[in-house]
Amino acid sequence: MRRRLEMTEHHFVFVHGAGHGGWCWYKLANSLRENGHKATCIDLKAAGINPTDPNTVSSLDDYDEPLYAFLSQLPIDQKVILVSHSVGGGSMTAAMCLFPSKVSLAVYVAAAMVKPGTLIPERLKNVMKICSGLIEEETEKIWDFSFGNGPQNPPTGIMMKPEYVRDKFYNESPMEDYTLATTLLRPAPVMAFVGIMDIPKAPETDKIPRVYVKTGKDHLFEPVLQEVMLALWPPAQTFLLPDSDHSAFFSQPQELYQFLLQAASSLSP
């Protein structure tokens, strides 16, 4: 089975979540490249090694510009498999709306998967806001805020407080990956996440097959709330990583790798 899944070459494009960068996908990218696939790990604006100040990012589209730029330059006959994590699911969905002809498959890994143009139940909306730091009074316990426009205005940047990073992001991940992450995490732009739950309706996105990967030991986006979200916009396939924390790329990378190949094998040659 494994040999058959790896026979067709695919191009996977990875989209990170808040505070992270393309670096977080290094294990998946390495496994895919070693087995003949292409892997591109995008740094969204103000993330990874992108030099933008997160306090200056003005919107979701501004934040997503590096992903849009990458998709726009693909050859007309080339499609990619998008893979997103956490609130990066909103960035991926926005890109699917703008470039539906460039996406053959969309994989959400413990990610925000909201159908464009739909209303979200308050319970789920509040959890997504907490995960991205948009409810300041409820999230100030675990998030640090920066105020690029002055303390009298809403926050412009967020970063998880160091004492919560292990439990919320990496509770099942190897200590060495947690240690690596603590040296690379950056503040994330608040304005980038305001638009995640308000992406305009785009019927073309329904034609793109979607896959969801659930994380069974997730302390940030709890499994029961992942189920609520799945019911609102059911994907074509669902996989479960029972022992994964919020960061499956660290806690169960080989299992996630196999799920990606399995999902890709469902595409027509």
Side-chain angles (χ1 to χ4, degrees):
M1 169 65 78
R2 179 175 299 183
R3 184 175 180 180
R4 182 176 66 83
L5 292 178
E6 294 177 349
M7 286 178 63
T8 302
E9 179 186 300
H10 295 286
H11 187 175
F12 295 82
V13 177
F14 293 94
V15 183
H16 59 80
H20 292 70
W23 55 266
C24 69
W25 299 104
Y26 80 94
K27 291 185 177 183
L28 273 300
N30 183 65
S31 294
L32 289 165
R33 291 166 183 161
E34 283 187 339
N35 288 285
H37 301 283
K38 293 181 180 179
T40 299
C41 303
I42 301 290
D43 280 332
L44 299 177
K45 193 171 282 189
I49 61 172
N50 184 287
T52 306
D53 180 350
N55 295 301
T56 66
V57 175
S58 61
S59 66
L60 177 62
D61 284 338
D62 187 21
Y63 180 58
D64 294 343
E65 190 277 331
L67 176 59
Y68 298 167
F70 176 84
L71 294 173
S72 69
Q73 57 79 42
L74 287 173
I76 193 169
D77 60 342
Q78 186 177 138
K79 292 188 175 187
V80 298
I81 296 173
L82 291 180
V83 185
S84 64
H85 174 243
S86 197
V87 293
S91 294
M92 183 171 76
T93 300
M96 292 159 59
C97 293
L98 291 177
F99 302 95
S101 65
K102 300 293 187 181
V103 184
S104 60
L105 179 69
V107 183
Y108 295 79
V109 183
M113 185 178 69
V114 178
K115 185 175 183 178
T118 60
L119 295 175
I120 308 170
E122 282 302 311
R123 182 188 182 199
L124 182 59
K125 183 181 291 188
N126 286 338
V127 170
M128 291 174 65
K129 286 182 177 179
I130 291 170
C131 289
S132 54
L134 294 179
I135 305 181
E136 183 179 351
E137 63 272 19
E138 294 187 23
T139 59
E140 60 184 8
K141 177 182 176 182
I142 65 171
W143 297 101
D144 279 325
F145 295 88
S146 58
F147 297 84
N149 296 325
Q152 73 279 11
N153 292 308
T156 52
I158 58 167
M159 187 168 184
M160 187 172 286
K161 293 181 179 180
E163 61 266 34
Y164 292 98
V165 167
R166 178 66 172 167
D167 179 63
K168 298 297 183 183
F169 282 154
Y170 314 118
N171 49 288
E172 298 294 326
S173 296
M175 184 58 70
E176 59 265 31
D177 289 317
Y178 159 69
T179 302
L180 172 69
T182 59
T183 69
L184 297 173
L185 289 169
R186 289 180 60 186
V190 170
M191 293 307 297
F193 308 131
V194 172
I196 284 176
M197 291 169 283
D198 298 304
I199 298 172
K201 185 176 181 180
E204 289 296 312
T205 59
D206 279 327
K207 299 178 183 179
I208 301 172
R210 286 172 293 106
V211 173
Y212 200 90
V213 181
K214 299 186 293 183
T215 42
K217 294 184 178 180
D218 196 321
H219 288 183
L220 187 63
F221 190 13
E222 296 179 359
V224 64
L225 294 168
Q226 293 181 38
E227 293 288 356
V228 171
M229 188 176 61
L230 289 172
L232 296 174
W233 196 23
Q237 296 182 79
T238 302
F239 298 104
L240 171 64
L241 292 169
D243 297 318
S244 177
D245 54 27
H246 190 58
S247 304
F249 41 73
F250 288 160
S251 57
Q252 289 199 269
Q254 284 305 309
E255 293 84 353
L256 178 55
Y257 167 73
Q258 289 300 321
F259 284 163
L260 292 180
L261 294 185
Q262 189 173 337
S265 71
S266 66
L267 298 173
S268 300

